[in-house]
Amino acid sequence: SYTSTGGGVAGDWTGTASLDFTVPTPAVAVRAGWDGFSQGVPTAGPFACLWHSIVKRAARGYAINPLIYDGGKTTEQIADRLEGMGGVLDAYLDELHDRQVACGGTGRVLCFMNTGINGPDTGASWTANMDRMVSRIRSRWQALGHDASTLAFVLSVTHPTTTIAAWNSTRDAVALGASDFGRQQADRGVTVVDINALYPTSRLLAGTTPSGSLYDAAGQAHLNFSATQLNGYDAVAHAMMAALLAADR
């Protein structure tokens, strides 16, 4: 079912829309995110802001909001963009909190960030830029009145490859620096997961039946995806979540 409401009064343009999936869930690819550009420029309305929030009401405290859908950016560029976000970041964090509570949760939020392959990154630059992102989100979270203990981060270094020479030559050092960063930042709710420990290139190349290689057909810069979920991104995400749950953090 799809419902939409809206208003047209100057200064009070509001609207909400929802799409409820029933069993069987249709195979729908959804890609959208908040946009952090041009926030310092005065806006002559009407103004519209679009975002997606995925909520699984049958699972307590389960809600997902993507902040950025923006391919090809380096770790530094993502950190720059996050630090440049004003009110949109505050609204995004409040939305995460409120949707999580609406699903029966307590308002705890887990942020996932994965970068590296678009480099050039070193262990030092990757950790420095991740520190900027963690610090930015934590500071805004607390400024909104939320407890720092209810915010956590999962950071990962992009998957290994066999064909991207620049990434092959630097990934081990980046992953080592990331691992050290995770240990140092544990008191800020930071956990680092090494994809290579879960899915090395040999396993990504072998793939799973019936999909074969878990790399994208166009090249190894991306893993593959499919509506059947027998794919690289789903496999890696499942392995990461299993590792986190097993760690009992």
Side-chain angles (χ1 to χ4, degrees):
S1 64
Y2 182 80
T3 60
S4 179
T5 62
V9 179
D12 187 27
W13 285 74
T14 60
T16 62
S18 65
L19 181 63
D20 295 330
F21 292 98
T22 58
V23 179
T25 302
V28 179
V30 179
R31 298 180 180 88
W34 292 75
D35 189 2
F37 286 130
S38 302
Q39 293 186 75
V41 180
T43 300
F47 166 80
C49 179
L50 170 69
W51 69 92
H52 280 159
S53 177
I54 302 170
V55 179
K56 187 176 180 181
R57 296 186 177 92
R60 183 173 182 269
Y62 180 101
I64 300 172
N65 267 7
L67 174 60
I68 299 173
Y69 178 71
D70 195 359
K73 295 296 185 289
T74 67
T75 310
E76 182 178 14
Q77 288 170 329
I78 296 173
D80 289 344
R81 184 168 176 185
L82 190 60
E83 287 184 339
M85 287 184 176
V88 130
L89 179 58
D90 288 0
Y92 166 76
L93 292 174
D94 260 345
E95 175 79 6
L96 273 177
H97 175 272
D98 292 349
R99 286 299 182 98
Q100 208 267 355
V101 170
C103 286
T106 59
R108 296 178 61 84
V109 167
L110 179 69
C111 299
F112 171 70
M113 295 179 279
N114 174 73
T115 68
I117 201 167
N118 292 322
D121 259 322
T122 64
S125 68
W126 190 92
T127 55
N129 288 311
M130 278 296 181
D131 183 61
R132 290 170 58 196
M133 288 187 257
V134 169
S135 296
R136 173 65 170 161
I137 293 173
R138 277 176 55 88
S139 66
R140 296 317 306 159
W141 181 257
Q142 292 175 274
L144 291 166
H146 304 309
D147 193 319
S149 66
T150 62
L151 180 67
F153 300 84
V154 173
L155 315 179
S156 66
V157 178
T158 311
H159 62 272
T161 73
T162 61
T163 63
I164 302 176
W167 183 229
N168 291 348
S169 65
T170 59
R171 190 188 186 283
D172 286 349
V174 175
L176 182 62
S179 179
D180 289 341
F181 180 74
R183 286 190 290 269
Q184 296 164 4
Q185 299 294 318
D187 62 339
R188 294 207 296 172
V190 173
T191 297
V192 172
V193 178
D194 185 0
I195 293 176
N196 185 62
L198 305 170
Y199 271 87
T201 52
S202 58
R203 191 175 182 189
L204 292 172
L205 286 167
T208 59
T209 303
S211 62
S213 172
L214 296 182
Y215 289 113
D216 185 79
Q220 295 184 1
H222 303 96
L223 302 180
N224 59 19
F225 71 96
S226 71
T228 64
Q229 297 188 349
L230 294 173
N231 59 80
Y233 285 116
D234 187 70
V236 168
H238 178 82
M240 290 176 65
M241 290 306 300
L244 291 168
L245 291 171
D248 193 28
R249 285 283 302 273

